[in-house]
Amino acid sequence: MNANSDLDDQAPTPNGDLMLQTVAMPADTNPAGDIFAGWLVSQMDIAGAIKAVNVTHTRVVTVAIDSMHFLTSVRIGSVVSCYAEVVEVGRTSVRVKMEVWIDYHNSPEPIKVTECEIVYVSVNPQGQTVPIEQ
Ligand SMILES: CC(C)(COP(=O)(O)OP(=O)(O)OC[C@H]1O[C@@H](n2cnc3c(N)ncnc32)[C@H](O)[C@@H]1OP(=O)(O)O)[C@@H](O)C(=O)NCCC(=O)NCCS
């Protein structure tokens, strides 16, 4: 018997810290009534930046977002939760792993929508890179 069988039976749960929670609104939809992927990416970028600034304590800019796959559509009224975890801190950059999960009125468990990694760079007010003090 697998020693991890109890763990295997558990529903998957979000990884990382909850950085942003919002509700998907009608203004964020396409004509079919589903939420735009771009709106979701925007929420992830904001949430990841908050996480990155907790590390850099400077202004940050987004330099890279890796590939994303969307596992399910998002309906109006869903509670959208963005989770973030710092996976790497470089000289001037912070790589943050993001996950997005949704809850809808009748969903028994949160549902994972997507994940990606976003790289932020620490910059000064002029937009020049600034080493992160660690
Ligand atoms: C981010 C920016 C300041 C970096 O300037 P740069 O001259 O390329 O600086 P560097 O080459 O020293 O790179 C800085 C860090 O970013 C990392 N980086 C640069 N390009 C990257 C990429 N495509 N993927 C991952 N990391 C990257 C570098 O590895 C480096 O990390 P480290 O210092 O921790 O080792 C500059 O490219 C910029 O202003 N880009 C626009 C950012 C922006 O406006 N974003 C919002 C767009 S709407």
Side-chain angles (χ1 to χ4, degrees):
M1 182 175 159
N2 182 349
N4 290 325
S5 58
D6 284 350
L7 290 176
D8 293 344
D9 290 344
Q10 289 173 4
T13 52
N15 295 300
D17 299 323
L18 179 62
M19 303 306 294
L20 183 152
Q21 201 165 43
T22 187
V23 176
M25 302 291 274
D28 309 317
T29 61
N30 62 22
D34 292 321
I35 296 300
F36 277 120
W39 176 81
L40 215 53
V41 175
S42 155
Q43 303 308 308
M44 296 170 80
D45 195 16
I46 294 167
I50 296 170
K51 191 70 176 169
V53 167
N54 286 345
V55 174
T56 66
H57 305 289
T58 62
R59 176 184 162 194
V60 296
V61 290
T62 307
V63 73
I65 301 179
D66 74 1
S67 66
M68 297 174 66
H69 300 271
F70 293 90
L71 308 173
T72 182
S73 60
V74 178
R75 297 170 59 187
I76 294 169
S78 301
V79 175
V80 176
S81 302
C82 297
Y83 295 83
E85 183 181 6
V86 173
V87 290
E88 190 180 341
V89 180
R91 194 180 77 85
T92 66
S93 67
V94 182
R95 181 177 289 271
V96 183
K97 167 88 184 292
M98 303 298 306
E99 292 189 6
V100 176
W101 293 67
I102 52 170
D103 286 280
Y104 199 65
H105 308 304
N106 53 3
S107 56
E109 304 284 350
I111 301 162
K112 186 173 181 178
V113 178
T114 190
E115 66 177 34
C116 74
E117 290 187 2
I118 307 182
V119 181
Y120 300 90
V121 176
S122 165
V123 295
N124 65 17
Q126 290 72 45
Q128 299 156 330
T129 59
V130 176
I132 298 167
E133 290 182 18
Q134 298 188 50

